Amino acid sequence: MVASAPLWQRLVVLAPAFIIGAGLVLGVFVLLGRAFVHSVRESGHKRAIIAGLIVLAGAVVVLTYLGVELPRE
């Protein structure tokens, strides 16, 4: 029945699910981010962790710019 409804009606019906889902995802990212920051603060190798993150981000940017794609199964 919902599939035959106009687009705006489907969006109104699904809006609470989208909002709750986005809130859950955001909550998980906040918790993981806080745990990561706590781990970095207590680590004895803060500069190495930050340097590794920068190198990883740089590698992702360069490989994306070069158009490298991961193999698909």
Side-chain angles (χ1 to χ4, degrees):
M1 188 55 92
V2 173
S4 65
L7 177 63
W8 69 271
Q9 287 180 349
R10 284 184 283 181
L11 291 177
V12 168
V13 170
L14 293 174
F18 290 146
I19 292 171
I20 291 171
L24 288 172
V25 169
L26 183 64
V28 167
F29 280 128
V30 167
L31 287 175
L32 289 175
R34 289 183 65 177
F36 177 73
V37 169
H38 181 71
S39 296
V40 169
R41 284 183 183 159
E42 290 189 355
S43 173
H45 306 287
K46 294 177 189 174
R47 290 184 183 165
I49 293 173
I50 300 300
L53 289 174
I54 292 171
V55 168
L56 178 65
V60 168
V61 168
V62 169
L63 292 175
T64 301
Y65 177 74
L66 293 175
V68 175
E69 293 183 12
L70 295 175
R72 302 190 186 259
E73 294 182 312

